[in-house]
Amino acid sequence: MIATERTRTERIKLSSLVPPGTMGCDHCLDRLSESVAALRGVQSIEINRQQETATVALDPEVATVTSVEETIRREGETLGATFEHQILPIEGMDCADCARTLERGVARLPGVSWANVNFAGARMSVEYASDQTTMRAIEGRITSLGYRVATPPQAGQPAPEERSIGQRMLADRQNLNVAVGLLLIISGILADFADAASWLPLGMYAAATLIAGIPVARKGLATLRATHRLDINVLMTIAVIGAAFIGKWLEGATVVVLFSLGEALERYTMDRARQSIRSLMSLAPVEALLRTADGERRVPVGEITPGDIVIVRPGDRLPVDGVVTVGASVVNQAP
């Protein structure tokens, strides 16, 4: 519709009209905007997710703020009853391809509208219809793909102590399989040099192949079933089977063990990087000193809007990005 002289702009607070889960979902907000925009007399709607407001341009002789709010409330209740939203912490991702595999695998479940994985943050956001699937089914799909849903720390619990690389790697059963496979390969090579019976080193190589290779094959087949896509795990499984078929047990065992070891080291590196990011995020202040017409007052950082004046005193941390208007100092930009 084209704006006319009768157009009036109204700002509507959404927090009291829309369920929190719906307010936190961009897709639901798009659906909400489409429903309001379809109302007769509504010319445009713009939703500000951070401020939880909707700016509506309407013709006051055709539409009223009350009718718009009623539509928002009704549509919000419908969306809240239809869709569930969850954010799941994920363990076991070591590359960006893992994130794509998770997204595709979970998104193919019946009832799942969309799934998005933040690889750097190791989190999955998922929207699903509660009458078509359950969170248990989603977690089952994640587990079948070779990843785990982490248990978030409870409020008030102390932060876990930093573990060494050996402790972190041996805490994972898959990494333990890699360690056992590596020991079997070394033992087989030593037995071969010691002129032991030919079946002994061969048996050790075969055992190492099975111990390290079965998790790789299981993960690759689960990905193939869920996403209909060949990934590196399927290709590695084919390579190891081919090596065993031509009798190259040592080569096959070495390849699959080193491949699994490389993935384990990638997971360890990414976990360290994520821990560093979380440590930096914890440095950000939760409140800011705001200058208003009534004086200075402390407000949550989330309530700051463009144009506000924030006071940063010596020794304070910068709560938000901005432009220095008055004053001069030295700022530590490391955080």
Side-chain angles (χ1 to χ4, degrees), residues 104-180:
R104 292 169 179 167
V106 173
R108 292 178 68 90
L109 282 173
V112 174
S113 305
W114 58 269
N116 178 265
V117 176
N118 183 332
F119 172 61
R123 294 190 303 273
M124 166 180 277
S125 302
V126 60
E127 177 188 85
Y128 63 96
S130 55
D131 59 342
Q132 297 182 42
T133 190
T134 62
M135 182 50 58
R136 184 174 182 179
I138 294 174
E139 292 180 355
R141 173 59 60 88
I142 294 172
T143 303
S144 70
L145 291 172
Y147 308 98
R148 298 175 301 280
V149 178
T151 302
Q154 300 295 325
Q157 282 188 348
E161 297 181 0
E162 183 67 21
R163 295 177 295 178
S164 66
I165 182 172
Q167 291 174 323
R168 292 170 70 97
M169 295 190 67
L170 292 179
D172 191 324
R173 182 178 178 181
Q174 186 174 345
N175 297 340
L176 189 60
N177 290 347
V178 175
V180 173

Side-chain angles (χ1 to χ4, degrees), residues 14 18 21-39 45 47 71-72 74-85 111-115 126-129 132:
L14 297 177
V18 179
T22 302
M23 194 66 223
C25 173
D26 289 334
H27 297 78
C28 286
L29 293 181
D30 290 339
R31 299 182 184 109
L32 191 65
S33 296
E34 291 175 1
S35 298
V36 175
L39 288 175
I45 176 172
I47 293 180
T71 299
I72 292 175
R74 184 172 61 252
E75 187 67 17
E77 291 175 353
T78 301
L79 292 173
T82 303
F83 298 105
E84 294 284 345
H85 304 86
V112 174
S113 305
W114 58 269
V126 60
E127 177 188 85
Y128 63 96
Q132 297 182 42

